[in-house]
Amino acid sequence: MATLGDVAARAGVSISAVSRVLSDAPDSRVSAATRERIVDAARELNYRPNFAGRALKSARTQVVGLVVPDITNALFTELMHGAEDEATERGYTVLLGRSDDVRPGGEVIARLIGEGRVDGMALQVGDAVQPAGLRDLLTAQAPIVLVNSSIPGHVGSVTLDDHHGALIATQHLLELGHERIAFANGLPRSFTAKRRRTGYKLALAGARVRVPKEYETRIGYTVDNGRTALHRLMALDPKPTGVVVANVNAAVGLLGEARKAGIRVPEDLSVVTVHDSWTAENTWPPLTAVKMQFYTVGRTAVRSVIRRIETGETSDEVVTDPPPELVIRESTASPRSA
Amino acid sequence: MATLGDVAARAGVSISAVSRVLSDAPDSRVSAATRERIVDAARELNYRPNFAGRALKSARTQVVGLVVPDITNALFTELMHGAEDEATERGYTVLLGRSDDVRPGGEVIARLIGEGRVDGMALQVGDAVQPAGLRDLLTAQAPIVLVNSSIPGHVGSVTLDDHHGALIATQHLLELGHERIAFANGLPRSFTAKRRRTGYKLALAGARVRVPKEYETRIGYTVDNGRTALHRLMALDPKPTGVVVANVNAAVGLLGEARKAGIRVPEDLSVVTVHDSWTAENTWPPLTAVKMQFYTVGRTAVRSVIRRIETGETSDEVVTDPPPELVIRESTASPRSA
DNA sequence: TATCGTTGCGCAAACGATTGAGCAGGTGGT
DNA sequence: ACCACCTGCTCAATCGTTTGCGCAACGATA
């Protein structure tokens, strides 16, 4: 690979001149003729600035880390796309990391930051992660922005409008005439689950509808968790006529299990999920869902990280624009008894 | 962040001594006592070698790029996991890149290699990519291994056993008694489509079954392509009683469209897909599928890249172990007329 | 007692890019 | 004619790490 020195030699100038021209420094003070010779030489040699050299000198990598608990998740890919688009526009690169590694996540983050591989990162901690190990990293003033998660005392976060999303989903069932509305939620310690819960409760309260507290399960967000939730809810008496599922993966599992159990959707049970994704429209019946703006969250998170890196400003943001959006498909209908 | 110099100062030795001890060079020739002081100092300062410094000096980043056309694809996440696991075991990191960017892919690759961000890469080119722009990169002796794709003249590749996979899928339908077996394939120029095609044909030939050539559609691998394929196939006379779909996304689309069209699966039409993924088991009916070893392909590809980097050896490999595996669910049955 | 090999380190030169300082030569003002 | 200033470059230090070489001190051998 060609270096600055090679280009300089070919153009008959010094390395500094080349560096200044190619990184177009504001006060390069180079004549038009020389500039042209340099640019030509660089093109002819197909020069590209060496990443390590630049990073070493400038102490900047122009890379932001994106660490999420589970890459497999269909929802995550949207977030990733948003993050990439924003990064690219601003001259950064995204380095993807898993936090579901052997180590509970802290080690990956410490490496990325500690070895100087990234300038900052967007971090989504899973529900299973103890915040304890991360505490020192965050207090170390590293440019870390939390995504859809929270660690007490940390400033710098970007989250979905979970509250609003769950509210819309619940209101949809209310408007269809349901009153026995269950809620298949995530684990109690989950940050997002807490927020979705308040949305659900607020919607019910707003309609002056009361349900037994067993109507809320707090099992988790996986496909299997959804299957379990279905069994728990349908064992209740009276059975719910509608269920708000806090996560699309769990909804897919719940739907599959309902079919196995001979429960017809939407005739016997209406199902609405928070989160839309391409999996939701390809289930049977296609799932009515509240589309959450993961793409925008990805963009916003990266923007926030970069702002933190470049100006030091921090902020806690909730993505409300565009707002969560109800996508009506075929898994919801009015209750039969109504 | 602590540097080698900081550790050296604290341990009262030279930088070289620290470097040799911490990177445990074979001939470090350092006394046990000194070694201990160095190790202690490093731990106390929480020393981590600076990535850029190391990369600059050694001209190695210990990073392999993984570039695929579409991150969103459910199949890809398996490949990614395999790649990550293999890389981690060997002390490498994976840098993920998209080739579905504005540029047709060549630019991303040229940057990653040209700027020295990666030591080598595993590259899956989409069916839409013209190999022309990549030709010079590959002849430039860059350590690039192709994944499930091919560019004429390039050595270094790792592929699925597509042939075998399609063969198994077709044989499954044959064994159920089907004879009018259609094939919803990818685009004609697709490398994998060609290979799956031969497997399909070989299975039919082996059973001495002949079908009209309209029984093969060559539309593509997306959900929508699958929908289109269903319409094309069911417009034929006689209709097929079973269909092998070359890709799970297309199969999901085909299944959804069949339901809309009132075609019952598997009563009216048996559907088997090449590729298993978690989406396949959550459709209705759950899809019978041939599980292809994407995880192993990811591992093998990264292993191959690293071998290429470290020893210069190249190879073209087909992942045959473990072999493709038929997972029978509920989308296939014996034909009604039989 | 010279010579030699070994042990236990330190010195200093790279790697490629950035950037403040410096230095000729020319131009303008007085 | 002298000084100041601007233009158009070059010099050289620096980032953190690796690594070939050198050099004391010391024990062993001749």
Side-chain angles (χ1 to χ4, degrees), chain B residues 13-14 16-17 20 29-31 34 56-57:
Chain B
V13 294
S14 74
S16 347
R20 279 188 247 260
R29 299 205 315 207
V30 172
S31 71
T34 307
L56 180 58
K57 175 61 192 172

